[in-house]
Amino acid sequence: MKNKLYEIILLFFTASWGLSFLLTKDVLRELSIFNFLGLRFLLAFLCSGVIFFKSMKSLDMKTIKSSILAGSVLFLSFAFQTIGVDYSSASKVAFITGLSVVLVPIFSSMIFKEKLSKSVWLGAILACMGLAMMTIEGMSFKLQLGDLAALIGAVSFAIYMILVEHHTKKVNSINFAVLQLGIVAAMSLIISALSGGIEFPKETSSWVGLSILAIVCTSGAYIAQNILQRYISASKTALIYSTEPIFAGFFGVVIWHETMSTMAIIGAVLIFSGMICTEIMGETVKN
């Protein structure tokens, strides 16, 4: 029963991630990519640090090392995903990011020497076909900058999920999660400072969006992910995450009035089908 509650909480934060694509696109009208990421994760880090101050006082070197590794991969994931959102539609980037669900078991099998079921391979084929259809322009396959960045981000997110499942069971999960936010903030702000300086939003709407992204979609979501993955497997976590592009597509149509071509819609359905096929029908079998 308690595990079901954990899954519902994770689903709530997954819905907030779906909304985050739209909020990100809105804030990027005023801030540069790394400036935006730096402020988002700095606010999230400060918020989380205050809430879990007592826990953070017991920070140890093992947690720091694990956080640096996972935080660096998380930084790459968000950097490429945000570039994708800036150069493409939020809905499209959300579905491409969803490929990480298909990649998790494939990467896990490579790392942990497990044999993949036919369903996982079928899911991968469906997802690849979907990616191709989402990036077709006219009658030619053309991977735009935003699509390519989102794809690299998806690969990074898959690696990140595996790292979290591996490390969160060995260290204090709260400290592990909070410190990662600080690492992403520091890396983003350094790049922003070196590439033009750090600015603050002037519009109220940008502050509102940035606050929601920092407190709900980042601080709350990533702490929840790192804590709840103690009780939910990486595969089930990935299945819950598979609903993220659905939420993003819904919010994109209702709030941002985004539209998708027929080919892109078919591609989105194929990617989602691949995600479901991989996580519901697929399983890994140890050699």
Side-chain angles (χ1 to χ4, degrees):
M1 186 65 180
K2 191 172 285 187
N3 282 3
K4 289 295 180 185
L5 176 61
Y6 294 149
E7 291 168 16
I8 291 171
I9 294 172
L10 200 59
L11 182 63
F12 166 78
F13 284 112
T14 301
S16 78
W17 280 343
L19 179 62
S20 73
F21 288 93
L22 283 303
L23 294 174
T24 295
K25 203 164 187 67
D26 188 56
V27 178
L28 286 176
R29 294 186 300 180
E30 188 175 359
L31 298 176
S32 64
I33 291 171
F34 291 105
N35 194 161
F36 156 73
L37 286 175
L39 293 179
R40 171 180 176 176
F41 279 87
L42 178 61
L43 285 173
F45 174 66
L46 293 175
C47 178
S48 303
V50 169
I51 295 172
F52 297 108
F53 178 72
K54 287 186 178 180
S55 177
M56 292 296 289
K57 289 194 294 185
S58 63
L59 198 63
D60 56 67
M61 187 55 64
K62 186 176 182 180
T63 302
I64 293 174
K65 289 179 179 179
S66 296
S67 299
I68 290 174
L69 175 60
S72 298
V73 177
L74 184 62
F75 164 75
L76 290 175
S77 303
F78 267 97
F80 283 109
Q81 184 192 74
T82 307
I83 292 171
V85 171
D86 200 29
Y87 285 91
S88 187
S89 71
S91 301
K92 192 175 182 181
V93 171
F95 275 100
I96 294 176
T97 301
L99 288 170
S100 61
V101 172
V102 178
L103 296 174
V104 166
I106 294 176
F107 289 168
S108 291
S109 71
M110 294 168 62
I111 296 170
F112 302 114
K113 308 299 182 183
E114 295 173 334
K115 184 178 179 181
L116 292 175
S117 69
K118 293 179 180 178
S119 296
V120 172
W121 288 116
L122 175 60
I125 292 171
L126 288 173
C128 289
M129 289 171 60
L131 174 64
M133 296 194 75
M134 288 198 79
T135 53
I136 282 176
E137 291 190 355
M139 295 302 293
S140 62
F141 172 80
K142 189 176 183 181
L143 201 61
Q144 299 285 356
L145 174 61
D147 303 334
L148 178 60
L151 181 58
I152 297 173
V155 172
S156 299
F157 273 119
I159 296 171
Y160 174 73
M161 281 190 277
I162 295 170
L163 283 173
V164 167
E165 184 185 31
H166 179 69
H167 287 277
T168 195
K169 296 174 182 177
K170 299 181 178 181
V171 298
N172 182 304
S173 57
I174 292 176
N175 294 348
F176 178 53
V178 173
L179 195 56
Q180 287 177 56
L181 302 179
I183 290 167
V184 177
M187 295 178 76
S188 300
L189 289 172
I190 289 172
I191 294 177
S192 180
L194 293 175
S195 61
I198 299 170
E199 298 179 351
F200 294 94
K202 297 180 177 63
E203 298 181 11
T204 302
S205 61
S206 295
W207 275 112
V208 171
L210 196 60
S211 298
I212 294 173
L213 284 164
I215 298 170
V216 179
C217 305
T218 308
S219 178
Y222 278 94
I223 289 173
Q225 177 192 4
N226 281 269
I227 294 174
L228 296 179
Q229 274 198 228
R230 282 178 172 268
Y231 312 100
I232 308 173
S233 69
S235 293
K236 186 164 283 188
T237 299
L239 175 59
I240 294 172
Y241 290 164
S242 70
T243 62
E244 180 183 345
I246 303 299
F247 285 117
F250 173 77
F251 292 133
V253 171
V254 174
I255 300 175
W256 201 265
H257 305 295
E258 288 187 340
T259 58
M260 295 174 70
S261 67
T262 302
M263 293 290 278
I265 292 174
I266 295 173
V269 171
L270 285 171
I271 289 177
F272 184 70
S273 298
M275 293 160 67
I276 296 302
C277 184
T278 299
E279 295 306 330
I280 293 182
M281 298 171 61
E283 59 180 17
T284 57
V285 181
K286 292 185 179 180
N287 288 326

